[in-house]
């Protein structure tokens, strides 16, 4: 566990939980992180990685076009208007731990990588986090583990969901890459995030979806005013 990758807030429910019997506890034991990197809006929406981080290969197939290295010059929306990294509350190590609204991801039926994003959002919003199905029979709960791996489940987030909303993965496609995984925290109704220029801002969970999605793109051409968030 790397202390710098863990939120110091006492409200981060699962920030220090460990279990030597957990299958994720294998050597060298890379633990979870409380922060995730901006992978854009949602890959199925544009069929590209439109944020700052992304993949060149997905499900053993080459991404066309591949993202490659993201340079400052490629963030044409402006580094002050592009998210770099945000809080993303990790899930529990123990499979039987109590749920919270933001601790888990949920299987959502009827959504695939071909589903229009508005429909996908509505389906995810209809999930009851207290009773919703957790992937792989409830065993898939360690969101944010490990901090070492670059993937949507491990340590990226996307902006298809506004902060502190439920996280969902298409039930018919058990793929890392189609997860709708929002920024999240246990701070009251907000998350902290760093922009690509290095500045840190606090975002309310009530931020408008179109504004949040615009902040997730590096070259979307959206025009944002600072008072919109």
């Amino acid at each position: 566990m790397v202390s710098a990758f863990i939120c110091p807030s006492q409200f981060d429910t699962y920030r220090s939980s460990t279990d030597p019997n957990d299958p994720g506890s294998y050597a060298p034991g890379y633990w979870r992180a409380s922060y995730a990197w901006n992978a854009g809006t949602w890959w199925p929406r544009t069929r590209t990685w439109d944020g700052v981080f992304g993949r060149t290969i997905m499900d053993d197939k080459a991404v066309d076009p591949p993202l490659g290295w993201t340079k400052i010059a490629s963030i044409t929306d402006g580094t002050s208007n592009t998210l770099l990294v945000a809080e993303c509350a990790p899930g529990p190590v123990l499979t039987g731990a109590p749920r919270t609204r933001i601790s888990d991801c949920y299987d959502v039926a009827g959504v695939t990588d071909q589903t229009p994003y508005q429909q996908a959002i509505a389906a995810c919003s209809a999930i009851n986090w207290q009773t919703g199905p957790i992937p792989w029979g409830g065993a898939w709960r360690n969101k944010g583990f490990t901090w070492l791996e670059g993937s949507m489940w491990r340590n990226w987030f996307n902006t298809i969901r506004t902060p502190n909303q439920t996280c969902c993965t298409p039930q018919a496609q058990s793929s890392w890459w189609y997860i709708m995984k929002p920024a999240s925290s246990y701070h009251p109704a907000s998350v902290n995030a760093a922009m690509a220029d290095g500045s840190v801002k606090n975002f309310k969970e009530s931020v408008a979806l179109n504004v949040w999605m615009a902040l997730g793109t590096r070259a979307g051409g959206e025009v944002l005013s600072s008072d919109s968030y």
Side-chain angles (χ1 to χ4, degrees):
M1 186 179 292
V2 180
S3 60
F5 295 166
I6 302 296
C7 177
S9 170
Q10 62 178 323
F11 299 111
D12 196 338
T13 302
Y14 300 116
R15 65 190 176 96
S16 61
S17 59
T18 60
D19 176 19
N21 298 314
D22 183 78
S25 301
Y26 55 84
Y30 298 111
W31 290 102
R32 64 198 23 76
S34 301
Y35 309 102
W37 304 89
N38 170 28
T41 55
W42 189 45
W43 191 87
R45 175 177 172 265
T46 60
R47 317 306 290 186
T48 62
W49 295 104
D50 55 358
V52 181
F53 294 85
R55 293 281 288 179
T56 56
I57 295 175
M58 287 170 53
D59 297 334
D60 299 323
K61 298 177 182 178
V63 175
D64 184 20
L67 178 60
W69 292 102
T70 303
K71 300 179 180 180
I72 292 293
S74 68
I75 305 177
T76 56
D77 287 348
T79 55
S80 62
N81 282 329
T82 303
L83 291 161
L84 179 67
V85 60
E87 293 181 293
C88 197
V93 171
L94 298 172
T95 57
R99 302 184 187 197
T100 72
R101 181 162 62 107
I102 58 176
S103 60
D104 291 276
C105 276
Y106 300 93
D107 272 333
V108 57
V111 175
T112 72
D113 65 316
Q114 302 296 320
T115 302
Y117 79 92
Q118 300 96 330
Q119 183 179 331
I121 291 171
C124 188
S125 296
I127 292 287
N128 182 337
W129 65 263
Q130 295 174 307
T131 59
I134 297 173
W136 284 283
W140 199 47
R141 300 197 64 191
N142 50 0
K143 176 164 65 79
F145 173 99
T146 73
W147 56 261
L148 183 70
E149 179 184 300
S151 73
M152 287 306 309
W153 174 243
R154 304 303 190 188
N155 50 30
W156 296 351
F157 77 98
N158 49 30
T159 55
I160 191 71
R161 306 279 288 156
T162 50
N164 293 334
Q165 301 302 305
T166 48
C167 172
C168 294
T169 183
Q171 192 174 62
Q173 292 174 300
S174 297
S175 171
W176 298 115
W177 312 114
Y178 309 142
I179 297 172
M180 295 177 280
K181 181 183 170 188
S184 57
S185 83
Y186 290 99
H187 303 302
S190 67
V191 298
N192 293 309
M195 312 304 288
D197 66 355
S199 61
V200 176
K201 294 179 169 61
N202 180 266
F203 292 92
K204 294 181 179 179
E205 62 184 42
S206 58
V207 62
L209 177 61
N210 66 312
V211 171
W212 188 241
M213 290 175 68
L215 291 168
T217 65
R218 69 181 183 279
E222 307 93 345
V223 178
L224 292 174
S225 60
S226 58
D227 60 1
S228 63
Y229 58 87

